[in-house]
Amino acid sequence: KKELVDTLKFAVIAFVILPFLPDKGYGPLGIFNPHQVWLMVVFISAISFGGYITLKWLGEKGITLAGLLGGVASSTATTLSFSERSRKEGKIFRALALGVILANLSMFVRVLVLVFVVNASIFWEILPSVLILIVLTSIFSYFLWKKAKKVKAKVHLTSPLRLGPALKFGAFFAVIVMLTKIANVYFSARGIYLVSFFSGFADVDAIVLSLAQLVDTTITLKVAHDGILIGILTNILAKGGIAYWLGGKEFGKIVLSFFLVLVVIGTVLLYFL
């Protein structure tokens, strides 16, 4: 009965509410877009719902697959969903942490694909930095996987859909988008790095596509490289914070510790690549 009710809830938020929300900005500078904000609520709910189904079919081993696939849509949404789950299913905290880290790995690959499609010149500029982050993540994921696979805990399935965390994240997303638009208007080209910093907290894709399109016309390859990398690093930092504050204790420590390492290494890359 609970699964049926939650399925109907998801159908309502995704196929009834979302299509009717206007996809345009309201307020000064068009800072609030109802469709864009609710789309993030749908994303988070979909990851939560999809993760529940995957776990029910595949058990604990389905977590890693859910992380990889979830990262393709939204690594931040996946992090939020897995963080909430880690509080309920503490025995499999390593598997859940691995799912979040793999979702972040998918985000790296998605960024490279987006850049290559939009502007191949910036692709070759950003490739070395992102490849280093991919290699480090892959190595750490392998060792974490070896530890996680030894845990034979029974997965305790709770509610397939948790709207509370999704709605909270939607509000957070709206605030970050508002700050990004204000910074973009008042600081213009001089605020590219500032815009990248704020954009990374909400959405990496937006800043990646914007900077890739501006290369060779408004900004240099180096500026685009640094702006994209800043957006990636702040996004990683935001996900680390979500995991630490909203997830279980051990889960949060693993994710935040590794993400801080990535942020430090990425900061060094800003100066040397």
Side-chain angles (χ1 to χ4, degrees):
K1 182 179 178 180
K2 178 64 176 174
E3 291 173 340
L4 178 59
V5 171
D6 281 352
T7 300
L8 293 175
K9 286 181 181 178
F10 178 73
V12 170
I13 67 171
F15 304 112
V16 177
I17 298 178
L18 182 64
F20 285 96
L21 291 175
D23 189 8
K24 63 179 181 178
Y26 289 91
L29 308 178
I31 59 177
F32 178 68
N33 186 314
H35 186 275
Q36 187 181 46
V37 173
W38 195 255
L39 183 61
M40 285 305 302
V41 174
V42 172
F43 267 145
I44 295 171
S45 301
I47 295 300
S48 175
F49 197 80
Y52 176 91
I53 295 174
T54 305
L55 285 173
K56 189 163 187 177
W57 281 351
L58 302 178
E60 185 185 338
K61 63 182 179 180
I63 294 174
T64 55
L65 178 61
L68 279 171
L69 297 179
V72 174
S74 173
S75 58
T76 306
T78 304
T79 301
L80 180 62
S81 176
F82 279 28
S83 297
E84 289 290 324
R85 190 171 292 275
S86 71
R87 287 186 173 273
K88 301 290 184 180
E89 299 161 29
K91 291 184 179 180
I92 56 171
F93 68 90
R94 286 192 181 92
L96 290 168
L98 177 60
V100 169
I101 292 170
L102 290 177
N104 194 64
L105 180 64
S106 295
M107 183 266 288
F108 292 148
V109 176
R110 190 180 74 243
V111 166
L112 289 179
V113 171
L114 288 174
V115 170
F116 182 77
V117 171
V118 175
N119 193 327
S121 62
I122 185 59
F123 171 81
W124 298 111
E125 181 75 15
I126 195 71
L127 181 62
S129 298
V130 178
L131 273 182
I132 291 173
L133 298 178
I134 287 176
V135 170
L136 290 172
T137 302
S138 300
I139 294 173
F140 183 80
S141 297
Y142 172 74
F143 287 106
L144 185 58
W145 172 76
K146 293 193 71 174
K147 288 185 177 182
K149 71 175 183 177
K150 296 178 182 178
V151 180
K152 300 300 180 181
K154 182 181 180 180
V155 178
H156 175 64
L157 296 171
T158 55
S159 173
L161 189 65
R162 295 177 60 83
L163 281 178
L167 293 173
K168 290 178 182 178
F169 185 80
F172 171 76
F173 176 80
V175 171
I176 295 300
V177 169
M178 176 190 69
L179 294 175
T180 300
K181 290 184 177 181
I182 292 174
N184 187 39
V185 169
Y186 288 101
F187 292 96
S188 189
R190 295 173 299 176
I192 286 178
Y193 294 151
L194 184 62
V195 172
S196 299
F197 179 83
F198 283 120
S199 295
F201 281 106
D203 180 31
V204 172
D205 295 347
I207 193 63
V208 168
L209 293 173
S210 298
L211 295 182
Q213 291 174 349
L214 291 174
V215 170
D216 300 329
T217 58
T218 306
I219 61 177
T220 64
L221 283 173
K222 175 61 176 173
V223 171
H225 167 275
D226 292 350
I228 291 174
L229 193 54
I230 288 172
I232 290 174
L233 295 180
T234 53
N235 187 257
I236 294 173
L237 190 61
K239 287 179 290 192
I242 290 172
Y244 185 79
W245 291 110
L246 300 182
K249 184 177 180 181
E250 297 298 327
F251 166 87
K253 284 182 178 179
I254 292 175
V255 176
L256 180 61
S257 298
F258 178 66
F259 280 4
L260 285 176
V261 171
L262 288 182
V263 170
V264 170
I265 294 175
T267 302
V268 173
L269 294 175
L270 283 172
Y271 292 95
F272 293 98
L273 290 180

